[in-house]
Amino acid sequence: MNTRKLILMAMFVAIGVAGSAFVYFPAGIARAYPIQHAVNVIAAVFFGPGPAVIIAFVTGVVRVLTGTGSLLAFPGGMIGALLAGIMYAKFGKIWFAAIGEVIGTGLIASLIAVPYARLLLGTEFGAFFFIPPFFISSLTGAVLGALVVARLKKVNTIQVWQ
């Protein structure tokens, strides 16, 4: 990786951490943190699936260490970032990255969160406990991320950064 790419990735981590500390809203019995999902979509389009997953992982680590996130930040962020990157790489459309984020986080990660939460957090919640907040958070963040990427493409920012 080159220095410019690492700096941009670190900036995305900072945006994900800071955004999660200040931007959230109630989603059922949990809180939705859409900025992480917006960052996932933007990173998937800018860098691809591998770096997007690294950004999601590092963001999760920092959020857990600073107390602004739980261990559920890992499956929620990383699976969505991976699927967003894969979908964008395959289809080349921003909205496919957003759909990948929603499917990856809102559906797949919420189902993986059940045994994960049981094993690591000692909770006995079922799948329907995690699906609504994961889905709402990923949907709002994915739409926000797709709108930001569309605007950045319109002003030719992505080609300059890449």
Side-chain angles (χ1 to χ4, degrees):
M1 288 191 197
N2 62 32
T3 305
R4 173 183 274 177
K5 187 173 184 178
L6 287 173
I7 291 170
L8 288 172
M9 289 172 66
M11 287 174 44
F12 279 111
V13 170
I15 291 167
V17 171
S20 296
F22 298 109
V23 180
Y24 58 87
F25 58 88
I29 58 175
R31 287 188 201 163
Y33 297 94
I35 300 302
Q36 175 62 54
H37 307 292
V39 167
N40 285 351
V41 171
I42 298 166
V45 172
F46 273 51
F47 304 116
V53 171
I54 292 169
I55 291 167
F57 175 76
V58 174
T59 302
V61 168
V62 175
R63 286 185 62 210
V64 168
L65 292 176
T66 59
T68 60
S70 73
L71 292 175
L72 294 173
F74 293 108
M78 294 169 59
I79 296 169
L82 177 66
L83 202 52
I86 290 170
M87 294 286 281
Y88 184 76
K90 183 169 177 80
F91 298 105
K93 302 284 184 191
I94 299 166
W95 291 105
F96 277 102
I99 290 168
E101 172 65 27
V102 173
I103 292 170
T105 299
L107 297 176
I108 297 171
S110 63
L111 294 174
I112 289 174
V114 175
Y116 181 83
R118 183 174 297 139
L119 183 71
L120 296 177
L121 303 175
T123 62
E124 294 290 329
F125 296 116
F128 292 113
F129 178 82
F130 293 109
I131 290 174
F134 276 49
F135 188 80
I136 291 167
S137 183
S138 64
L139 180 64
T140 55
V143 169
L144 177 64
L147 291 172
V148 168
V149 170
R151 181 66 184 145
L152 290 173
K153 274 193 164 195
K154 195 173 201 174
V155 295
N156 223 12
T157 303
I158 293 176
Q159 285 78 17
V160 171
W161 283 10
Q162 291 176 337

